[in-house]
Amino acid sequence: MSQAKKDAYALQAASIIKKLEKRNMEGFYFDTAKDAVEYILSTIPEGSSVTWGGSETLAESGMLDALKNGNFEVWDRDLAKTLEEKKAFYQKSVGADYFFMSTNAITLEGELVNIDGNGNRVACLIHGPEHVIILAGMNKVVPDIKSAVPRIQNCASPANAARLHTNTPCEKTGCCGDCHAPGCMCCEIVVTRHSRHNDRIKVFLIGEELGF
Ligand code: SF4
């Protein structure tokens, strides 16, 4: 990535971090995912229960591997295989000390915009886990809420559909068909505009392209 783009990302991130503060969410910026992951790890007490929502960003950044290899009580969603195990896992995950996720988009005003199929990921963002740690590449920044949803449904969703084989219009055409299919990933569209609880949501912006 060119230095000019890095400089622009750093400036944009500084502005978003100020807007997050107004929303009672704490923002950080790191040039690289490696630096962000190292810092985040240094802030989590050993033995904390940690879990996460589905996210390419968490995998690409190295955050997932770091959690799995760290000295934490790891609640790994991928170990739940049956429907019953998944239900039990989702119920347990709301009681985690730390919940990790990315955001589908973040606006220049600091609003988080997320789209979910099952709803378990946005449920944990809204309420439950003591701390929510969000990692987001600067490719997730959008001008405003109005532009966030089309960006998610026409960029992120087709890629997620291909990954998860949802059999939705976006898997077949690469574009949103505003579907109501059984595998629809857009059941919930959630805007987080403020955190009522102090010190709960932390957003780590990263000067790399991560996830979709
Ligand atoms: S509404 Fe349906 S077609 Fe559109 S992005 Fe969501 S899952 Fe894909």
Side-chain angles (χ1 to χ4, degrees):
M1 187 181 298
S2 71
Q3 190 55 47
K5 195 164 183 181
K6 285 260 181 201
D7 292 346
Y9 274 167
L11 281 174
Q12 199 170 61
S15 167
I16 294 170
I17 287 166
K18 276 195 191 132
K19 305 287 173 63
L20 284 167
E21 196 179 332
K22 180 179 80 176
R23 299 176 184 283
N24 205 23
M25 296 185 271
E26 195 172 2
F28 303 81
Y29 178 72
F30 289 88
D31 268 349
T32 67
K34 184 173 173 292
D35 290 346
V37 169
E38 272 177 23
Y39 176 78
I40 292 166
L41 285 178
S42 74
T43 66
I44 303 175
E46 286 188 3
S48 300
S49 54
V50 297
T51 191
W52 52 86
S55 164
E56 273 294 299
T57 296
L58 294 183
E60 287 176 18
S61 63
M63 191 73 246
L64 276 194
D65 283 343
L67 290 176
K68 289 177 184 174
N69 295 324
N71 204 1
F72 308 115
E73 186 181 321
V74 176
W75 298 351
D76 186 347
R77 67 200 298 271
D78 293 333
L79 299 180
K81 298 295 179 203
T82 66
L83 193 58
E84 287 309 310
E85 285 173 350
K86 282 181 183 167
K87 272 189 195 167
F89 176 82
Y90 292 147
Q91 284 172 359
K92 183 181 173 185
S93 61
V94 297
D97 295 325
Y98 286 84
F99 182 78
F100 286 76
M101 58 181 287
S102 186
T103 185
N104 292 125
I106 178 167
T107 71
L108 290 173
E109 289 296 317
E111 297 125 326
L112 310 175
V113 184
N114 282 285
I115 288 182
D116 212 341
N118 272 326
N120 57 292
R121 187 178 61 104
V122 292
C124 284
L125 167 63
I126 294 169
H127 182 76
E130 192 75 16
H131 299 279
V132 178
I133 305 289
I134 295 172
L135 281 75
M138 290 300 287
N139 52 308
K140 298 286 187 74
V141 174
V142 294
D144 50 29
I145 293 170
K146 198 173 160 208
S147 56
V149 175
R151 185 255 168 215
I152 297 167
Q153 291 186 310
N154 291 288
C155 297
S157 293
N160 275 322
R163 183 170 66 91
L164 301 169
H165 303 299
T166 51
N167 201 26
T168 49
C170 54
E171 182 183 7
K172 293 172 188 154
T173 68
C175 303
C176 177
D178 193 25
C179 79
H180 294 272
C184 181
M185 297 174 291
C186 303
C187 303
E188 318 293 337
I189 299 179
V190 172
V191 175
T192 304
R193 63 173 294 279
H194 189 87
S195 175
R196 174 171 288 187
H197 305 287
N198 294 340
D199 198 31
R200 180 169 184 266
I201 300 180
K202 294 188 171 63
V203 180
F204 292 84
L205 298 166
I206 297 167
E208 293 178 358
E209 295 214 352
L210 294 165
F212 308 133

